[in-house]
Amino acid sequence: MKRIVGRQGSWWLGALAAASLPFLALVPLGAVWLWERQGFVYWFLGTALCFLAAGLLFRRAHRSGDRVPSGDGTTAAGEETPPDPGWSPSDKVAWQRVQGFAAQTSGRMLVDQRALLATGRAVIEEVARHYHPERAEPLWHFTLPEALLLAERISRRTRALTVQAVPGSRSVRIGDVLRLYRVKRTVASVAQSADGPWRAIRLAINPVQAAAAELSRRFQGFAAEGLSSLMLDRIARIVVEEIGREAINLYSGRLRADIDELERLEPPAVAEPAAPAVPLRLLIAGKVNAGKSSLVNALCGDVVAAVDVLAATGQPTSHSVRGADDRPALELVDCAGLERETSIPKLVALAENCDLVLWVAPANDGARDLDRRLLDAVRGHFAGRPQFRAPPVVVVMSHIDRLRPFNEWAPPYDVAAPTGRKAETIRAAMESVAEALGVAAADVVPARLDAGMLYNVDAVWTAVLARVPEARQSQLIRLLRLAGSAGGVAGVARQIVTGGRLLSGLVIEGIAGTRTKT
Amino acid sequence: MQSILGRAGEQISSFWKDVYDTVLNPKPDAPGDTRIAEEARARAPVIWLLGMVGSGKSSIIRTLTGSSDAEVGTGYRPCTATARIYEFPEEAPVVRFLDTRGLGEVAYDPAEDLALCEKQAHLVLVVVRAMGPVPAPVLDALTRVRRRHPDWPVVVAQTTLHDFYEGPGAPAHPLPYPFGDGTRPGGIEALDRSLAAQRETFAKLPGSGAVRFAPIDFTPEEDGLAPADYGIDRLWAALEAGSADGVVSMMRRSLGSSGKPGGGRAASHIWGYAAAAGAIDMLPVAGVIGVPVIQGKMLHSLAGMLGVTWTRATLAEFSGCLGAGALLRFGAQFGVRQLVKLVPGYGTVIGGAAAGAASFATTYGLGHAAILYLSSRRSGAQFDADAVAEEFRRAMAEATGVARASRMFSRDSDGKAGS
């Protein structure tokens, strides 16, 4: 500044201010004049139209730069927003019910305060009843930290969506400001008064409603009826959907932990190895002598598990694989050989605590009834618990060298387009395994796992890596469950002590707890 | 005495007339054929195969019967919800394999199979892959069997030895067969340990019946593992040792000759006719079909299998060299027991046997003698009447011994077995 205006700059500024003051005074004076003449509305309308025109022109000018939001944001009034990818089947059912409400909303809801509150409450009650049908008052089945997190999340998402999905919403600055102000106050006041969860939710909705009220007051019917009814419908739908979405998060127990915090615990795919991470846990299961320990050794790249012609493994053992290059860190749980159906409870308990199942099935053993029954038991276990998420299953078909012709071993074998008899046999065995075990043919990886004669272990890795995103979802839900289950008296006590760092501690503790159990 | 001989002569000629008529002018006789098959089925020894799917039971059936895949594949009758019976040969079985295919499946109850086998099972043949521990379902079922029948012998076939063969080049069986009585090491360390561990497991079975082991590897020719029936002698030896009454030995001979060229499957069919003939004497209502008719049917069908046609002349020659044709007819008239005591030589063979056992033995002997006779007729070789007579005597003696030892036709245990 000094360089531009020089040493006498303050004098220059003073002079400039004095000269412009009369003109600046015209702004408030003009406003007063408009107000007194009842002309303020026309000015406001004109301003709005100008902004609208400016917005349209701006969009046209910056068509390439103007990014149309994808996903949730492109939703029109009549379209459904897809459920979150990480939701369990039970959550998705709840989401369908929310969609039922969303389909019936109209923009009018926003201008009628009571209608908005009633709809919001109805959505929340519906979701609460879905999750806690056994309770007389399902609405109250959550904790204060959950409610606070909920209010914060609704506000944040609604704002983002409104900005993204409603053209011109940014120009309604008054509502924006008002809402942001009230969001702050909401969280603060709820934290102070702790006057009930419903209040927290209602206050969270209020900013939206306030924004709508502002709109309706300013536009005075004209806007609500004509120009922006589509805009209002969209906002209404977003509001209902967001209330529903967050209600699902609340009552499914997901908010007992802040998802962001959990996400921070996840190891990045290409990790700095030092970052704290919860490695994916793989269950290696299969019949006695199927080659489970050989697979563990192959994946570890080292001899860590005893391999013998006699059943070598008695108890489940855990081995860790350090992540390297494009491979994530893994924890391999080598379950003891499964001999009979009495192993089902043990297997199911292990599967519940793992994120991906590698099922080892020998190619040369046609007795696959037991495999199928064990796998079905695991599937049935998860099917009966929609709040859980079944870990994906990859079948490793071992011992392909023992398939006919025995005296041939000349890898690689192209099973996609078999040329020789061996490749054909492998292909046939894969199809038979896939059918017997009830998995897709693509989920069967043929391999030889004998030490020193490894073949196709890379394909096992590829199959595992392809399932990592899915396995992460299973892991997330599993960890959330752990975080939730540790919320007893001891958990509350720890909450007071450790405050915000609570969750990571719980998660780690939960894992450590189950690890010592298994 | 004159009159007795005269009457005997009449009866002999009337007997051969029945046989001639049946042999030369066979009449379609569906109920009779069904009866023959049924009786054969009821008397054929049952080998109970116990093992998981894919452990090699079908290979064993194929190799023991010497039949092709298709013959075993089509010759089964589903039996219960969980077990199925393979019969060989299909029309008049010499042996039946009870295959507990669904072993270890949900709600599988071996009691059902047990009930089925209780009277018929000569042997429990456990089939396990040599590699790895004994599958739990097999062990559980076998334990239950032995609790109920502590004296039942068990033969354990340890299959798929080639899973252990490693190293460069084509895998090859160690030769000569090193396992001896099934307990000696074969020289491949992992294999020997696995076999020993399995033997240890079976040693803990309840009951007192002997448990015999036979490491085997039956593979199709195209697998290139020679010999394709590695260890078959050991398996036969174990089966024969397990079956004290000799039925398995007899069955083995019948099955063994069934694989030979020329003789075709003729020998294996004798069993069915003999079983039917033996059963006739025991049935309260015997009028449906007579022993001569069965024997006539047998002679006719054996000739068909060998590609020869009976004529009056050849039939006369054949019966002449037997010389004992009368025996058969007298058996029907007076009771074999009384008759054979009068006849030197034959009397020592079947004297004291029940009528059913005698009919069984004579039909069996007749069949084997006929095969020998017809074979030399067909090849145009020098006809040796003594050899035919000797074969008749040998086969009859064998059948008598077996029928007696196994009490196939004793009154107390009969009647229910087949139904």
Side-chain angles (χ1 to χ4, degrees), chain A residues 272-351:
Chain A
E272 314 91 339
V278 182
L280 281 180
R281 199 185 285 168
L282 268 61
L283 177 62
I284 316 256
K287 285 196 300 190
V288 178
N289 272 42
K292 297 182 291 296
S293 298
S294 299
L295 179 61
V296 168
N297 289 342
L299 292 179
C300 288
D302 195 6
V303 177
V304 292
V307 174
D308 193 37
V309 59
L310 308 176
T313 325
Q315 288 299 310
T317 45
S318 173
H319 309 275
S320 60
V321 179
R322 198 174 298 171
D325 303 330
D326 54 339
R327 291 173 183 176
L330 299 177
E331 184 190 349
L332 304 177
V333 178
D334 181 3
C335 91
L338 305 165
E339 270 192 272
R340 44 189 98 204
E341 279 172 284
T342 47
S343 325
I344 285 178
K346 188 177 74 177
L347 175 69
V348 164
L350 280 172

Side-chain angles (χ1 to χ4, degrees), chain B residues 233-244:
Chain B
D233 290 336
R234 170 62 210 151
L235 181 60
W236 271 122
L239 291 173
E240 283 172 355
S243 148

Side-chain angles (χ1 to χ4, degrees), chain A residues 119 123 261:
Chain A
T119 308
V123 169
E261 283 175 50

Side-chain angles (χ1 to χ4, degrees), chain B residues 28 62 102 113 181 319:
Chain B
R62 273 203 298 275
D113 294 339
D181 60 357
S319 59

Side-chain angles (χ1 to χ4, degrees), chain A residues 280 355-356 389-393 466-475:
Chain A
L280 281 180
D355 311 314
L356 193 150
R389 199 181 155 113
V393 175
R467 295 310 197 91
V468 160
E470 212 181 318
R472 288 262 182 254
Q473 294 291 357
S474 303
Q475 184 187 40

Side-chain angles (χ1 to χ4, degrees), chain B residues 23-26 299-300 302-315 373-374 377-378:
Chain B
V23 172
L24 297 173
N25 309 302
L299 292 180
H300 175 77
L302 291 180
M305 288 181 198
L306 290 162
V308 185
T309 316
W310 286 110
T311 62
R312 231 158 238 289
T314 52
L315 258 182
Y373 174 79
L374 291 168
R377 264 276 149 259
R378 187 182 54 171

Side-chain angles (χ1 to χ4, degrees), chain A residues 70-273:
Chain A
S70 59
D72 295 354
T74 50
T75 316
E79 288 171 9
E80 282 193 10
T81 312
D84 284 7
W87 278 354
S88 68
S90 168
D91 297 341
K92 284 173 186 163
V93 172
W95 181 243
Q96 275 173 4
R97 298 196 185 180
V98 170
Q99 286 296 334
F101 278 97
Q104 290 163 16
T105 54
S106 78
R108 288 177 177 280
M109 183 189 84
L110 293 174
V111 294
D112 180 351
Q113 189 169 339
R114 269 173 304 176
L116 179 69
L117 288 179
T119 308
R121 187 171 173 127
V123 169
I124 290 167
E125 273 181 349
E126 181 74 18
V127 173
R129 224 174 289 122
H130 170 74
Y131 281 101
H132 305 289
E134 76 287 356
R135 296 197 180 254
E137 292 227 41
L139 205 58
W140 306 96
H141 196 64
F142 51 80
T143 61
L144 179 61
E146 289 176 67
L148 287 171
L149 192 54
L150 176 73
E152 189 188 324
R153 286 167 55 88
I154 291 184
S155 310
R156 203 190 310 148
R157 278 190 61 93
T158 309
R159 181 191 171 275
L161 284 176
T162 310
V163 169
Q164 280 176 1
V166 184
S169 65
R170 267 193 190 281
S171 54
V172 191
R173 297 220 171 263
I174 300 160
D176 263 358
V177 170
L178 200 65
R179 189 181 53 176
L180 285 173
Y181 169 67
R182 291 208 181 160
V183 166
K184 259 184 163 178
R185 219 183 56 185
T186 300
V187 177
S189 67
V190 168
Q192 279 163 11
S193 62
D195 147 22
W198 165 242
R199 197 176 143 87
I201 299 170
R202 199 182 58 184
L203 286 173
I205 303 166
N206 260 355
V208 186
Q209 174 235 329
E214 283 300 318
L215 275 173
S216 72
R217 207 180 309 144
R218 302 290 179 211
F219 285 85
Q220 292 234 337
F222 166 73
E225 295 291 334
L227 194 71
S228 63
S229 71
L230 180 69
M231 177 169 132
L232 284 173
D233 283 351
R234 279 193 180 189
I235 294 180
R237 182 157 188 140
I238 287 171
V239 167
V240 169
E241 280 182 350
E242 288 313 299
I243 292 169
R245 185 188 302 279
E246 294 310 327
I248 288 171
N249 284 331
L250 176 68
Y251 289 103
S252 67
R254 204 165 269 112
L255 291 180
R256 254 168 252 166
D258 186 339
I259 288 183
D260 293 341
E261 283 175 50
L262 275 181
E263 277 162 0
R264 244 173 276 135
L265 287 174
E266 279 193 344
V270 185
E272 314 91 339

Side-chain angles (χ1 to χ4, degrees), chain B residues 135-389:
Chain B
V138 172
L139 203 57
D140 294 350
L142 192 60
T143 305
R144 265 176 283 177
V145 168
R146 284 284 286 245
R147 285 224 178 88
R148 277 186 77 173
H149 302 276
D151 56 332
W152 273 16
V154 171
V155 173
V156 181
Q158 296 162 302
T159 63
T160 340
L161 304 179
H162 62 256
D163 276 354
F164 290 90
Y165 302 166
E166 275 174 16
H173 293 305
L175 287 171
Y177 184 77
F179 301 100
D181 60 357
T183 58
R184 263 171 262 158
I188 299 167
E189 192 257 346
L191 171 59
D192 290 340
R193 281 176 54 225
S194 192
L195 292 179
Q198 292 190 349
R199 282 198 297 272
E200 251 174 63
T201 310
F202 284 111
K204 290 174 197 144
L205 273 182
S208 56
V211 182
R212 294 177 179 81
F213 296 91
I216 56 168
D217 200 354
F218 297 165
T219 49
E221 294 276 339
E222 66 263 27
D223 281 345
L225 273 167
D229 53 358
Y230 186 68
I232 186 170
D233 290 336
R234 170 62 210 151
L235 181 60
W236 271 122
L239 291 173
E240 283 172 355
S243 148
D245 54 23
V247 174
V248 170
S249 307
M250 198 168 146
M251 178 195 95
R252 178 186 182 181
R253 255 189 298 285
S254 293
L255 293 178
S257 54
S258 75
K260 281 182 201 151
R265 294 164 55 196
S268 62
H269 282 256
I270 296 172
W271 176 285
Y273 292 102
I280 293 294
D281 285 349
M282 315 203 44
L283 291 172
V285 186
V288 185
I289 186 169
V291 172
V293 176
I294 290 179
Q295 291 173 336
K297 273 175 174 293
M298 175 178 72
L299 292 180
H300 175 77
S301 115
L302 291 180
M305 288 181 198
L306 290 162
V308 185
T309 316
W310 286 110
T311 62
R312 231 158 238 289
T314 52
L315 258 182
E317 189 182 28
F318 175 60
S319 59
C321 80
L322 286 182
L327 184 68
L328 311 167
R329 186 54 182 158
F330 282 136
Q333 199 70 18
F334 303 116
V336 175
R337 192 189 299 266
Q338 277 66 42
L339 171 86
V340 293
K341 282 176 186 159
L342 300 175
V343 184
Y346 296 113
T348 54
V349 172
I350 51 174
S359 290
F360 171 76
T362 48
T363 310
Y364 188 81
L366 190 64
H368 279 272
I371 287 183
L372 188 63
Y373 174 79
L374 291 168
S375 301
S376 51
R377 264 276 149 259
R378 187 182 54 171
S379 62
Q382 187 60 45
F383 171 62
D384 183 352
D386 289 344
V388 173

